Every structure is written in structure tokens, then in C-alpha cells.
Amino acid sequence: MAAAESLFSQLVPVQAKCQGCEERRINVRVNIELQSTTNPIHRKDLLVRLTDDSDPFFLYNLVISEEDFQSLKLQQSLLVDFSAFPQRFIDLLQHCIQEQNKDIPRFLLHLVSSGPNLDHTPAFLNVVETNPFKHLTHLSLKFLPGNDAEIKKFLATCLKCVKEEKLLLEQKLRKTDEDLTRQLNYAQQSLSEKSRELDKLRNELASKTASLTNKYTQELTNEKEKALQAQAQYQQQNEQQKRDLESLHQKTVQQLQNRLKELENVNKELMERRYKGDSTVRELKAKLSGIEDECQRANQEVLSLRRENATLDAECHEKEKLVNQLQTRVAVLEQEVKSKEDLVTRAKEVSDATHEQKVNLEKNIEKKQIQIGNLETTLKSLSSELLKANEIIKKLQGDVKTLMSKLKLKNTVTIQQEKLLAEKEEKLQKEQKDLQEAESSLQAKEQEVCKLQDQLEATVQKLEESKHLLKTNENVITWLNKQLNEIQMTRKQEVSGTSTTSPSGTTPRTGISPHSMVDSRIPFLNSGLGYPISPLLPFQSFPDAVAIKSINQQTSGQKVQFNVQPQETNRCSDLQPGITVMTNHPTNKENGENMGLEAKYLKKREDSIPLRRLSQNTSHNTGHLKSTALIKTQIPAKSAAPFRPSAYFPG
């Protein structure tokens, strides 16, 4: 048993090289299959096939068994086992596919043949990696061209695959055809149902629109009256509000102006006080700076005097020491004088000198004591003056504090007043904005009033024009009724004249046909014209009865015969949506002709609207009047436009 497992099947770009030919690039389909056989020996073979989709006879095969792979591994120094070789080969092919769109691809496949063509000579498939130094061949496989049997087998498998794909596509096509036919039938059914529903809805919509137009015209007239009343009320209210607002605005402006003047006066007074306080503060600051300078000078003098006093104290102490020494020496000398009389003179001289020095020293001491007393008195006077200066400074500081507190109060008052002024200005601005908004709203309302007045004038003009048109249509209808009555009278007279001339017993009964009788009807009614009746119809000149008779004899086909009694005509003066004129007409039983209008005369024109319905209830003139004829008179849709005769009679 042999089982084949497909591992890879894709188009790969290959550079084909033949002997004596240029390189060319072709797309080759590479099929890699792993065949495993269990009978008689379990073995695995790797089958690699190269084919070309455009050339069915292009076939190269390569079968690698495990023994062949071992020799290939030794020849090309491969580091992969047989089990991992297929995947590595597929990876190299994937690299070649990925690099095919680059200008300088890194991996390339070379199919090299020793013959001039790729037909019957073996070829080598080389997987080459390019780098800046050289071309490295990773793998080189030798492929053998397929013989006739292998090509036939390959073509048979291809044909089998194509047939299977064809069967699958045919099945899919049948399914899609069935689904589409079902969907089409369902869509046609739903379309027919929807069209029916649409027709119903159109009919309902037409009836509803007719009823709604009547309702809304009445509501519109009521709303217009209400709007006029409301407009008048709003105008009065707006005028009153405008007057009230103007008076209030004037009052508030006057009050604010008075308040502004008062605040300006108060502000001027406060500014003057502030300037005065600033001047006093400056004077006091100048005085304080002068007193502080004097105090500093006095302190410096006191320090210098203290230093001098210290020096004098030191000298005095030294002198006292000297006096003590001299006294000790005097005692010694007195003892020596007693002991030594020889030295008396010298001792006397020394004592005199010392006495003189002592006197001088005492005098100096007294002078120094006097100076010290003077300095103490000056110190006392300076301290008293300093105390007085300190008291004055404290008083000035208190005055300055009081002035600063007063200034702070004044500043707070001025700030509050400025805030009040700003608030008043904001209120003024708000009121001005409110005034502007009120004026703009008034202007908008006045514009709305003007628009409403224009609309009213337009509607009044349209109403007058429609009334004028109604009057002209009523005149036309009355003239038509008169003409019909006159025609009926002439026909009756003619019928009575013919009945009196013919004997009752001998001659056979003859029916009055429309071809034989003198027809004095209106030509355009007899000829089957579908135009609307013109208001200028009463003023047009018609041919006499003989001409009408000749015209009626020449024309063929059915004709309309009006039998209307002038005594029993009922006119409708109100507007109705489908205006018709109902007249009785006889049937010619003897000739088998139905004396009525054809179906083409009963069609409604799209560019016109019905005017009014004239129902005429006629009595049975003779025994053979059984059916009625319907004639619709129509007017153009543009009721507001002026009358134009060319619209009714073209050409």
C-alpha cells in the first residue's frame, strides 16, 4: 500500500538557463509529496515535481529515498536528517517567493539544463543565496524530464482534478440558480403586493388630502382671524410696554446721574483730604528724620565722653598708685633721714618735688572732678532731652498711626464707593442692553407684522382673483344651459312638425336619427373636442343651422344628443371637487346606436382642476329616454392667473 501526503504546491519564480540561450524567468509550480509504502518493506520517498500551468507537457520529476538522501547529504555536506529535509526545502522555497518582488533578491532558484531546451535533458534546480562577495548554492537537486507515460499520467490527474472542479462549480451554479429563482419569485410576489398596497394607499391619500384641504382651509381662515386679533393685541401691549420702559429708563437715568454727581463731589472732598493728610505725613516724616539724626549725634557724643571718662579713671588710678608708692617711699625716706642725716637734703628736695607733684596732681584731680561733674550734668540734660525726644517721637508715631487708620478708612470708603459706582455702571449697561434687546424685539415684531400684512394682501388679491374666475365660470355655465335649452326647444319643435306632416296610419314609424335631423348643437361639443369651455364662448359667432346640418351629415360615429327641459334645471352655486354636468340622452333603439359620449371624452385632464357640479334633473320627455351622459367641464389649475383665451382654444 502507498500513501501520498502533499506538503507544498505553489508557483515559484525560477530563472531558467539553457546552453546557448539567454536566461529567462518563468513561474514553475513546485509540488512536494511524501510517499510512504508498507508493502513489502516500510519506506518513505520524497517526490518533487516541477510543472508549468501554461505548458502541460513541461514535467520534471525527482524521487529521493532515504538511501539517496544519505549520498546527497555526503555530496553537499548537509546537516539535516531525511525527516527534517522536506520542511527545510519548503522554507528555502518560501524565502525565494518572499524575495521575488525585490530589485536585488537574496534567494534565487536556478533551473540549469545542459541541452539547448528544457525538453528532454535532465536539469538541476539550484537554491542560491546572493551576498556582496559571491553566490552561495545551498542546495542542488537533479530533476529528470518526464517520459510519455509519466506525462500521460500527469495529464490524466490534471483532467480528473479539472472535472471534479467542474462538477463542484456546476452544483454550486445550480444551487445559486435555484436560490435566485426563488428569491426572484418571492420578490415579484412581494412587489405585486406592495404595488397593490401602494395603489390603496394612494387612493386613501387622495381622499384624505381632499378632506384635509377642506378642513385646513377653514382652520387657516380661523387662525388668520385669530392671528390678526392677537397681532392687534400684541401691538397695543408692545406700545404700552415701550412707553413704560422709556419712562422708567428716563427716571433711572436721572436718578443715576444725580447719584453720580453726588458721588463725584464726595470723591473730590475725599481726594482733597487725602492730599492734606499726605502733606502732613511728609512734614512729620521730615521732622522725625531730623530728630533721629540729632539723637544719633547725642549718642555718639555720650559714647565719646564715656571713653574719655574711662581713660581719666585709668590715669587717676595710676596716679593713686604712684601716690601710694611715693608715700611708702616717703616713709622709707623718713626712716632713712632718721638713720641717715646726710641724706636729708636730698630727701627734702625729693619731698619738695614730690609735694609739688602731689599738689599738681590734686589740682588735676579737682579739675577732672569738675569736668566729670560737668559731663554728668550734660549727660543728665541729654538723657532728659532724649526722653523728651522719645516722648515726642511716640506722640508723632501715635499721630501717624491715627492718620494711617484714617487713611485706611478713607481708602476703604473710596473703594466701596468705587465698587458702588462700578455696580451702578454695570446696572446701567444691563439696562441699556435690555433697552436694545427690547428695541430689537420690537423691530422684529414690526417686521413680522409687515410680513403678515403682505401675506394678507396677497391672500386678499388671490381671493378676489378666484371670485372673478368663479363669476366668469358661472356666466359660462349659465350661457351653456341657455344654449342647451334653446337647442332642446328647437328639437322639440322639429319633432312636433315632422309628426304633424306624416299620416299616422299609412306611413311606417321612423325614428329620428342624429344623422337625418337638423342639429343645431355647438360644433366643438359635437366634434368630440376635450378642451375646457372658454368664458368667451357666448360672444363667439356660430354658423347657421344649414351649415351645421351639412357638417353633421359628413361626420361619422356616435354623437351626443341633449334633451334638457328649461323648466327643471337645478344649479349648484358652491364649489365642489369633481364638477360634472348631468344630462339625459336617448338611445336609438331602432338603429341600435347608444347615444352617449365616448370613453375618451370622459377622461380627466391632468393640467386642470374641477370647478363645480351642475346636476340637472330632467323629466322623462318621451318613453325611450333611459340613460344619462356625463360631461365634465374643467378649468386650468392655476386659478390665481389671469384669463387667457389661448389656454382654452389652442391654435
Side-chain angles (χ1 to χ4, degrees), residues 72-116:
L72 182 71
K73 185 176 180 182
L74 289 169
Q75 286 174 6
Q76 299 187 12
S77 63
L78 299 177
L79 302 173
V80 182
D81 295 331
F82 180 75
S83 59
F85 174 71
Q87 188 60 42
R88 295 292 182 185
F89 184 43
I90 290 165
D91 292 339
L92 289 170
L93 293 174
Q94 291 287 349
H95 285 305
C96 293
I97 292 165
Q98 289 173 3
E99 297 283 331
Q100 66 179 343
N101 293 322
K102 293 182 180 179
D103 295 331
I104 302 169
R106 187 180 170 190
F107 289 92
L108 292 170
L109 276 175
H110 291 286
L111 188 65
V112 182
S113 176
S114 58

Side-chain angles (χ1 to χ4, degrees), residues 199-351:
D199 293 332
K200 288 180 183 178
L201 287 169
R202 279 179 180 169
N203 295 324
E204 289 176 0
L205 201 144
S207 60
K208 284 180 182 178
T209 48
S211 60
L212 285 170
T213 47
N214 294 323
K215 284 182 184 178
Y216 288 133
T217 48
Q218 292 177 359
E219 288 179 0
L220 217 160
T221 52
N222 295 326
E223 289 294 327
K224 281 179 181 177
E225 290 175 357
K226 288 179 183 177
L228 288 169
Q229 292 175 1
Q231 184 184 353
Q233 289 178 1
Y234 286 136
Q235 281 181 353
Q236 291 175 0
Q237 288 177 2
N238 284 326
E239 286 175 357
Q240 288 179 359
Q241 286 178 0
K242 189 177 178 182
R243 289 168 189 168
D244 296 335
L245 285 167
E246 284 177 353
S247 60
L248 284 168
H249 180 65
Q250 287 176 358
K251 287 178 183 178
T252 50
V253 167
Q254 287 177 358
Q255 288 175 2
L256 288 166
Q257 284 177 354
N258 295 325
R259 182 68 179 162
L260 226 165
K261 287 176 182 177
E262 291 175 359
L263 289 168
E264 283 177 353
N265 294 323
V266 172
N267 198 2
K268 285 178 183 177
E269 291 176 359
L270 289 169
M271 290 294 285
E272 288 174 356
R273 289 180 184 175
R274 186 180 174 184
Y275 290 141
K276 288 178 182 178
D278 289 335
S279 61
T280 53
V281 166
R282 285 170 189 166
E283 290 173 359
L284 289 168
K285 280 182 178 177
K287 288 179 181 178
L288 203 146
S289 62
I291 291 163
E292 283 178 352
D293 292 334
E294 289 177 358
C295 187
Q296 285 177 359
R297 288 172 189 170
N299 286 324
Q300 287 175 359
E301 288 177 357
V302 165
L303 288 169
S304 62
L305 287 169
R306 281 178 180 172
R307 286 171 186 169
E308 288 177 358
N309 198 357
T311 52
L312 287 169
D313 287 333
E315 287 178 357
C316 237
H317 189 65
E318 288 176 357
K319 295 290 182 182
E320 284 177 354
K321 282 182 179 178
L322 286 168
V323 167
N324 291 323
Q325 288 176 2
L326 289 167
Q327 284 176 356
T328 53
R329 283 180 76 181
V330 166
V332 170
L333 287 167
E334 284 178 352
Q335 288 176 3
E336 285 179 357
V337 167
K338 287 177 182 179
S339 63
K340 293 178 181 179
E341 291 177 352
D342 295 334
L343 295 171
V344 173
T345 55
R346 292 179 183 176
K348 284 181 180 180
E349 290 176 358
V350 172
S351 64

Side-chain angles (χ1 to χ4, degrees), residues 382-531:
L382 284 168
S383 61
S384 62
E385 286 177 357
L386 277 167
L387 290 168
K388 288 177 182 178
N390 287 323
E391 287 174 358
I392 291 162
I393 287 162
K394 284 177 182 177
K395 285 180 182 179
L396 289 168
Q397 285 176 353
D399 293 331
V400 168
K401 284 179 182 177
T402 53
L403 286 167
M404 290 295 286
S405 62
K406 286 179 181 179
L407 277 169
K408 284 179 182 177
L409 285 168
K410 287 177 184 177
N411 287 323
T412 52
V413 170
T414 51
I415 288 161
Q416 288 175 359
Q417 288 174 354
E418 286 174 355
K419 285 180 181 177
L420 287 167
L421 277 168
E423 288 174 357
K424 295 292 181 183
E425 285 176 355
E426 286 177 355
K427 285 179 181 178
L428 264 171
Q429 288 176 358
K430 284 179 182 177
E431 286 175 355
Q432 286 176 357
K433 284 180 183 177
D434 292 332
L435 255 175
Q436 288 175 358
E437 287 174 356
E439 286 174 357
S440 62
S441 63
L442 273 170
Q443 288 176 359
K445 286 178 180 177
E446 285 174 358
Q447 288 176 359
E448 287 177 358
V449 167
C450 292
K451 286 179 182 177
L452 287 167
Q453 285 177 356
D454 294 332
Q455 288 176 2
L456 264 171
E457 289 174 359
T459 49
V460 167
Q461 286 178 0
K462 287 179 182 178
L463 274 168
E464 287 175 356
E465 289 171 358
S466 60
K467 284 177 182 176
H468 182 67
L469 281 168
L470 280 168
K471 284 179 182 178
T472 54
N473 290 324
E474 284 174 358
N475 292 326
V476 169
I477 290 159
T478 52
W479 183 83
L480 281 169
N481 287 325
K482 285 178 184 178
Q483 290 291 324
L484 288 167
N485 291 328
E486 287 174 2
I487 292 160
Q488 190 68 31
M489 290 297 289
T490 53
R491 283 187 70 257
K492 280 183 179 181
Q493 288 174 3
E494 288 172 0
V495 169
S496 63
T498 53
S499 63
T500 53
T501 53
S502 63
S504 60
T506 58
T507 57
R509 184 184 175 186
T510 58
I512 300 160
S513 68
H515 297 287
S516 62
M517 65 180 287
V518 177
D519 197 355
S520 60
R521 288 173 291 175
I522 302 164
F524 75 90
L525 289 170
N526 195 16
S527 61
L529 291 171
Y531 301 117

